[in-house]
Amino acid sequence: MNRLTISLFSLLLLSGCAPSVHQLRPVSGDVAQFDGRPVTKSEQSGIVVVASFERLDMQYVALDIEVKNQTDRPIEVNPADFHYAALNENQDSLRNRINPVYGLVYSAADPQREARLVTVKQAQEEKRLRTARIINTVLLVAAVASDVASSTSARNTRDYGRWVNNRVAHNNMYQMVAMKRAIDHGTFANRMQRYEYETYRWKELALRRTTVPPGESVRGLVYLPLYKDAHYLKLGFPVPENEPVSILFRQEQVKPDRRR
């Protein structure tokens, strides 16, 4: 079997074992296909919400949301006002485990609050790295002092076996300190890179809190906390003195289209 045949066989195996993809599909409102994905629209008292599933983003489900103001007055749009009720396969409300009287309802993330929390996390990570550097320095100084003392003692007693064991032991100590330093810096870099993305997400991608004048609209991503056990998500956006704008999504795991 030549290399080309082996490669094609491996590709077929990988495509057959491709992992499923988390997806939300709108099943209410005026559903239409745009750019290969389903988009829906719902209206209440002149407030129109256009929504589609964007992606699974860490612990959040990201929805592409546009809010249109077709009333004769300005409206306040706050992404944190979006919420969803978690439903089962029969579209009945799932119950809160702590208090079964209440259904499971989740509010969307507040981008301003989350951005502030990321700033706090970044400061904590920088402090953690500074502490790790101090600890690493103390460990290195202790290893050097021990090495000097034990090496001197071994030379004075002219015990070659003891000197060899001392070298092996302290070389291992130096390697452990070096490994800890590398792990500390690697962990710091990985976390800071994630925090930089989160900052970009909350400040640039997320729907912003704003006042929308009549005839205008605002668009951005709304981040809903992921709850995998729900079969349906009933998205709601409050409307003053009326029922909220409501959109129903089906939540499922699907296999990617192999033809793409």
Side-chain angles (χ1 to χ4, degrees):
M1 186 179 294
N2 58 37
R3 292 183 178 180
L4 179 58
T5 303
I6 294 174
S7 299
L8 291 174
F9 184 72
S10 300
L11 182 60
L12 288 173
L13 285 177
L14 289 173
S15 62
C17 300
S20 58
V21 178
H22 192 90
Q23 187 176 49
L24 262 65
R25 180 168 51 88
V27 291
S28 69
D30 301 326
V31 181
Q33 292 288 330
F34 287 98
D35 295 329
R37 61 180 178 178
V39 180
T40 190
K41 179 178 69 173
S42 184
E43 179 179 357
Q44 183 69 267
S45 302
I47 298 177
V48 180
V49 175
V50 181
S52 64
F53 173 66
E54 181 69 18
R55 61 178 174 271
L56 183 64
D57 193 331
M58 298 183 184
Q59 72 274 34
Y60 292 102
V61 171
L63 298 182
D64 186 352
I65 298 287
E66 182 178 11
V67 180
K68 300 180 180 180
N69 182 9
Q70 296 182 351
T71 71
D72 57 359
R73 65 190 185 282
I75 62 172
E76 183 77 13
V77 175
N78 183 355
D81 288 340
F82 281 90
H83 60 275
Y84 77 86
L87 310 179
N88 62 18
E89 63 273 14
N90 298 318
Q91 298 185 18
D92 296 324
S93 178
L94 293 171
R95 298 287 101 184
N96 189 306
R97 294 177 182 176
I98 299 177
N99 192 341
V101 175
Y102 298 99
L104 277 179
V105 178
Y106 293 89
S107 297
D110 183 342
Q112 293 181 345
R113 177 179 179 274
E114 296 299 329
R116 291 194 297 268
L117 288 177
V118 173
T119 301
V120 173
K121 291 178 182 178
Q122 288 174 321
Q124 291 175 339
E125 200 60 39
E126 291 172 351
K127 181 180 179 181
R128 187 178 293 111
L129 181 62
R130 288 195 297 269
T131 302
R133 284 174 175 170
I134 294 173
I135 294 174
N136 293 337
T137 301
V138 171
L139 292 175
L140 182 59
V141 170
V144 171
S146 174
D147 191 5
V148 171
S150 57
S151 296
T152 302
S153 176
R155 283 197 300 269
N156 291 337
T157 59
R158 298 182 181 181
D159 186 342
Y160 181 73
R162 180 180 174 186
W163 181 85
V164 170
N165 290 336
N166 175 71
R167 294 275 19 97
V168 172
H170 285 85
N171 285 340
N172 288 338
M173 291 175 63
Y174 294 139
Q175 290 179 9
M176 290 177 62
V177 173
M179 288 176 59
K180 183 179 181 304
R181 182 186 293 113
I183 292 172
D184 291 337
H185 282 80
T187 301
F188 174 80
N190 290 336
R191 289 178 178 174
M192 292 301 284
Q193 185 177 25
R194 188 186 71 187
Y195 294 151
E196 287 175 3
Y197 166 71
E198 291 184 9
T199 298
Y200 173 74
R201 174 175 65 184
W202 300 125
K203 292 186 176 181
E204 302 297 333
L205 301 179
L207 181 68
R208 298 183 179 181
R209 181 172 184 171
T210 185
T211 300
V212 182
E216 297 189 14
S217 65
V218 63
R219 182 180 178 183
L221 297 183
V222 171
Y223 293 89
L224 304 172
L226 174 64
Y227 185 70
K228 291 184 177 180
D229 292 340
H231 286 76
Y232 292 89
L233 307 183
K234 188 176 182 181
L235 181 70
F237 179 70
V239 175
E241 301 177 357
N242 212 321
E243 293 294 320
V245 180
S246 180
I247 295 175
L248 188 65
F249 286 89
R250 178 175 177 82
Q251 182 171 247
E252 55 192 354
Q253 299 287 331
V254 298
K255 290 287 186 179
D257 190 348
R258 301 179 189 175
R259 296 173 296 177
R260 293 183 181 179

